[in-house]
Amino acid sequence: MKRRFSQSGFTLLELILAMGMIAMLAVSLYATLRVAFKARDSAVSGITVMRAANVAMDMLGQDLESALPPTGLLAGAFLAQHNGDVQTSLDVLEFYCVGSSDSLDPPRSSGFRKVDLGMLPSPDGRGYLLVRHVTHNLLAPQEVQPDEEILCRNVKSFSLRYYDGEQWQEDWDSTQLGNILPVAVQVDLVIQTSREITAPMYHTSRVFAFACHTDETTDTTGTTVGATGTTGATGATGSTGSRSTTGGGR
């Protein structure tokens, strides 16, 4: 008597259904991971832009708060000019200041120096470069080539406003204003967060006071004397996708 063994297995239909379910699970997992990676890249991009803007503002603040009066042998005029339009500002500034001795590059970073701030077109066509030119040897017998340093990339707008004690000015020429510094300067920096046209802009704004600011006053004898101004507090605001900040816009 022959015994029959039953052979059990998966049918073709069952295999197709199982493969379809695995494919759907893989697609769902891929979509979830894609959203997660995109969110991570967006967060990293936003933090990178914010960090770059804060570093640039800190370096600008060190130079501006240590600006020297526009008189003396190792100092010169404080010259500021507004360029650009309402949406894009390409301001330039030339002044003299005292470098910090606790920098990573002594002694070149310390002592008296001339600073030029301006904008250059980015080589990749994405906005502008915020560039600082520093001249260290102010007593050189011949013209010295300044050191160039890029403070920030992908800049959309760089604007400066100067407070004279009563109102904000867009330009400042110390040779025409009694060789004095402004009371304070407001720095507005707008940076592109990505290459997409619809991407929001990161806007940061700070106000720096000039410790060496003097007000020309006249005493009872008619002699003009200078009164040292008081250093004010520094304010800072930062926002993504917004053009309005504390301290007022242009």
Side-chain angles (χ1 to χ4, degrees):
M1 182 176 180
K2 296 182 180 180
R3 300 175 61 182
R4 296 182 178 179
F5 297 94
S6 60
Q7 297 179 355
S8 60
F10 296 103
T11 63
L12 180 60
L13 180 59
E14 291 174 338
L15 291 175
I16 293 176
L17 291 176
M19 294 178 62
M21 295 177 62
I22 294 175
M24 293 177 60
L25 180 61
V27 171
S28 177
L29 182 61
Y30 170 78
T32 303
L33 292 177
R34 184 174 181 273
V35 172
F37 284 127
K38 188 175 181 180
R40 184 201 62 178
D41 295 340
S42 178
V44 171
S45 177
I47 294 175
T48 302
V49 172
M50 186 183 304
R51 183 185 296 113
N54 289 334
V55 170
M57 282 293 189
D58 291 341
M59 298 183 70
L60 291 174
Q62 292 178 3
D63 289 340
L64 292 171
E65 290 178 343
S66 62
L68 296 171
T71 56
L73 179 61
L74 296 176
F78 187 95
L79 303 175
Q81 182 179 0
H82 170 65
N83 299 318
D85 50 27
V86 178
Q87 296 182 350
T88 303
S89 297
L90 306 175
D91 292 0
V92 294
L93 175 61
E94 174 186 324
F95 64 101
Y96 293 77
C97 68
V98 179
S100 174
S101 59
D102 58 355
S103 176
L104 298 177
D105 187 23
R108 289 176 57 83
S109 59
S110 60
F112 300 95
R113 56 186 179 179
K114 176 185 176 183
V115 177
D116 293 274
L117 300 175
M119 302 275 281
L120 294 176
S122 179
D124 58 1
R126 183 184 174 189
Y128 294 86
L129 302 176
L130 177 57
V131 180
R132 178 179 69 167
H133 293 91
V134 180
T135 303
H136 297 277
N137 190 359
L138 302 180
L139 298 178
Q142 57 186 2
E143 184 178 358
V144 179
Q145 188 70 18
D147 297 334
E148 181 178 291
E149 182 179 5
I150 299 177
L151 299 182
C152 191
R153 301 177 184 273
N154 305 324
V155 178
K156 177 67 175 179
S157 176
F158 173 66
S159 62
L160 301 168
R161 295 198 308 162
Y162 310 92
Y163 187 62
D164 61 3
E166 296 182 356
Q167 58 184 353
W168 292 94
Q169 307 289 342
E170 293 185 344
D171 302 280
W172 193 276
D173 187 351
S174 62
T175 61
Q176 305 296 326
L177 298 173
N179 287 328
I180 61 173
L181 295 173
V183 178
V185 57
Q186 177 180 337
V187 183
D188 289 291
L189 189 62
V190 181
I191 305 177
Q192 299 178 6
T193 57
S194 68
R195 295 181 178 272
E196 299 179 1
I197 301 178
T198 58
M201 300 290 178
Y202 179 77
H203 181 199
T204 180
S205 178
R206 292 190 190 180
V207 176
F208 303 102
F210 291 96
C212 294
H213 164 74
T214 57
D215 292 324
E216 288 188 350
T217 58
T218 305
D219 59 14
T220 55
T221 62
T223 304
T224 300
V225 297
T228 303
T230 303
T231 303
T234 301
T237 59
S239 61
T240 301
S242 175
R243 290 301 180 90
S244 62
T245 58
T246 303
R250 190 180 301 278

